[in-house]
Amino acid sequence: MRKNIVAGNWKMNTTVPEGVELAKAVNDAVASAQGLKCDVIVGVPFTHLCAVKQVIDINKVGLAAENCADHTSGAYTGEVSAPMVASTGANYVILGHSERRGYYNETNEMLKTKVDLALEAGLKVIFCCGESLEEREEGKVEDVIRAEISESLFHLTPEQWKNIVIAYEPIWAIGTGKTATSAQAQEVHAFIRSLIAQKFDNNVADNTTILYGGSCKPSNAAELFAKPDIDGGLIGGASLKAQDFMGIVTAF
């Protein structure tokens, strides 16, 4: 059975003390919530990982880094490797976010390497894919998604695939206040699941968690999560306030 997941992506926000306070608030809210129907993950800056790990119950709140390097070790000043991330106690890493692709020129080939290194380090991967507004308007949504997933992930075995979560994030809906309609999101999620079924089989596809990322908030989460192929969200801005984040978590 695939899991429902709501994952926060704090991006480059909060100081370490602020992040610890936010993580504590999320952890306490999850601990006191009754009958949650999803897993909860916080994705935090590298600087926060060790401190946040100390104030959460890792059995109730997963911990994700927002990136990792495409090398294991060596003369790569300022980079943080997958083994380093894993050594903090984190159990997830977010890879392929549109901001990493756009601002730092991360390619599908580079992300393939990062995925491999993350899995080797024992991390689960939240892998992002999604189209720009221009690509959507030109009718290239499926081509973009197919390339991003197949070129970075389809070398994996079905066993490795169990540690992959997909996050569909239409770039035009990230931080813009615009949201794909639930129908638009469902259409792409269903397409992603069909790609996985074609590569592996229906069983693997049915057990893959596919999250929606793109201005998901308490007011629209329930409608999005009601769709059959939307298994939760990768939450940006709304994850920076525990109350807003938990409003999305409880939408299930």
Side-chain angles (χ1 to χ4, degrees):
M1 289 291 293
R2 66 183 185 252
K3 293 180 177 180
N4 295 328
I5 295 174
V6 175
N9 176 20
W10 295 1
K11 307 190 181 185
M12 196 177 71
N13 291 296
T14 73
T15 62
V16 174
E18 290 167 346
V20 167
E21 186 177 345
L22 175 55
K24 278 182 181 176
V26 170
N27 185 77
D28 291 348
V30 169
S32 62
Q34 299 295 318
L36 286 186
K37 296 181 179 178
C38 67
D39 287 0
V40 177
I41 300 167
V42 290
V44 309
F46 290 132
T47 50
H48 297 32
L49 287 168
C50 289
V52 167
K53 173 63 169 59
Q54 299 304 311
V55 299
I56 61 173
D57 180 347
I58 201 73
N59 296 311
K60 294 180 178 173
V61 178
L63 180 60
E66 299 176 10
N67 182 36
C68 71
D70 57 343
H71 299 276
T72 301
S73 62
Y76 303 100
T77 301
E79 289 294 286
V80 178
S81 70
M84 289 175 178
V85 169
S87 74
T88 69
N91 44 4
Y92 287 87
V93 62
I94 300 167
L95 294 177
H97 194 282
S98 60
E99 291 158 3
R100 299 292 318 173
R101 295 175 187 267
Y103 302 153
Y104 303 103
N105 303 311
E106 293 192 356
T107 64
N108 294 341
E109 188 65 27
M110 182 188 298
L111 289 167
K112 177 181 178 181
T113 300
K114 290 191 177 192
V115 167
D116 287 345
L117 293 176
L119 294 177
E120 285 174 16
L123 297 167
K124 294 181 172 66
V125 173
I126 300 173
F127 184 85
C128 304
C129 60
E131 80 284 357
S132 66
L133 183 58
E134 181 181 9
E135 289 164 339
R136 173 165 279 271
E137 290 176 341
E138 292 176 356
K140 295 179 179 177
V141 176
E142 292 188 358
D143 292 340
V144 170
I145 300 292
R146 181 184 291 107
E148 289 182 343
I149 291 177
S150 64
E151 292 175 18
S152 298
L153 297 178
F154 276 179
H155 64 293
L156 300 176
T157 65
E159 192 63 28
Q160 289 174 309
W161 190 267
K162 292 177 182 177
N163 294 305
I164 300 293
V165 173
I166 304 292
Y168 167 60
E169 41 158 28
I171 298 168
W172 48 273
I174 298 173
T176 62
K178 295 180 180 179
T179 310
T181 66
S182 57
Q184 286 174 319
Q186 164 59 24
E187 182 180 13
V188 180
H189 279 237
F191 172 69
I192 292 170
R193 208 174 298 283
S194 74
L195 285 179
I196 298 166
Q198 290 166 22
K199 170 61 182 175
F200 299 106
D201 57 37
N202 286 332
N203 184 57
V204 172
D206 288 342
N207 283 301
T208 299
T209 295
I210 307 175
L211 310 180
Y212 172 75
S215 297
C216 182
K217 43 193 177 285
S219 59
N220 61 20
E223 181 183 351
L224 286 162
F225 297 169
K227 294 297 183 182
D229 290 297
I230 300 179
D231 306 314
L234 179 60
I235 314 302
S239 69
L240 294 173
K241 293 183 178 179
Q243 186 174 359
D244 289 348
F245 186 60
M246 291 306 296
I248 296 171
V249 169
T250 56
F252 274 112

